[in-house]
Amino acid sequence: MSANTTRPQNGTDSTERVDDLRALDVGDQVLFDDRQRPLDVVDTGVRTVTDERISKTIETPVVRVQGDWDGAVDYVLAHKLDRYSNAIRLEELDDIVACEGADLQRGELVTVRRVSEVSA
């Protein structure tokens, strides 16, 4: 096993990087950043974002995840948006942010990995 492979504590054996939240389904388990315990995907959806300065609307995926232990914090995962790069614009970026609770205004950039069970 390479040194870069994540080994979660729940008996799972491998992870795969998720670059597009559309690839996740309810029931999947994910890790992000240095977390050791997987979080369950409990809901998926789409948020509609509008920028009236340029009359543009986009739909971007959102994923709600939560742990199954006491005191676990719920997170909403969403793609970061670019609202201004050399000009006013509204684009979905590949970067993913984890927002605590349902507040999509502030989030932390994360690397998301789907946990895969390895059968014997």
Side-chain angles (χ1 to χ4, degrees):
M1 183 178 288
S2 75
N4 292 341
T5 302
T6 303
R7 188 176 200 81
Q9 293 179 342
N10 71 341
T12 58
D13 239 356
S14 66
T15 63
E16 67 177 283
R17 184 180 172 132
V18 174
D19 294 319
D20 188 343
L21 293 173
R22 293 170 187 85
L24 295 175
D25 295 311
V26 172
D28 285 343
Q29 290 189 316
V30 298
L31 295 168
F32 52 87
D33 287 347
D34 59 353
R35 294 183 169 276
Q36 297 295 311
R37 296 174 79 178
L39 299 166
D40 298 321
V41 174
V42 296
D43 196 15
T44 62
V46 174
R47 70 175 168 154
T48 302
V49 181
T50 301
D51 191 324
E52 295 164 357
R53 299 172 297 174
I54 56 174
S55 300
K56 183 169 182 180
T57 300
I58 63 170
E59 291 186 342
T60 182
V62 291
V63 174
R64 189 165 60 97
V65 298
Q66 63 186 187
D68 62 357
W69 58 90
D70 289 341
V73 176
D74 289 3
Y75 290 91
V76 174
L77 303 176
H79 285 279
K80 186 175 178 179
L81 299 178
D82 181 3
R83 294 180 181 264
Y84 190 87
S85 271
N86 300 322
I88 297 172
R89 59 189 290 167
L90 180 59
E91 303 291 333
E92 176 183 304
L93 301 174
D94 290 337
D95 295 333
I96 296 173
V97 294
C99 306
E100 196 170 309
D103 180 12
L104 294 176
Q105 299 304 311
R106 294 177 46 151
E108 174 184 330
L109 283 175
V110 295
T111 299
V112 177
R113 297 191 175 281
R114 180 191 343 247
V115 176
S116 302
E117 296 283 342
V118 176
S119 56

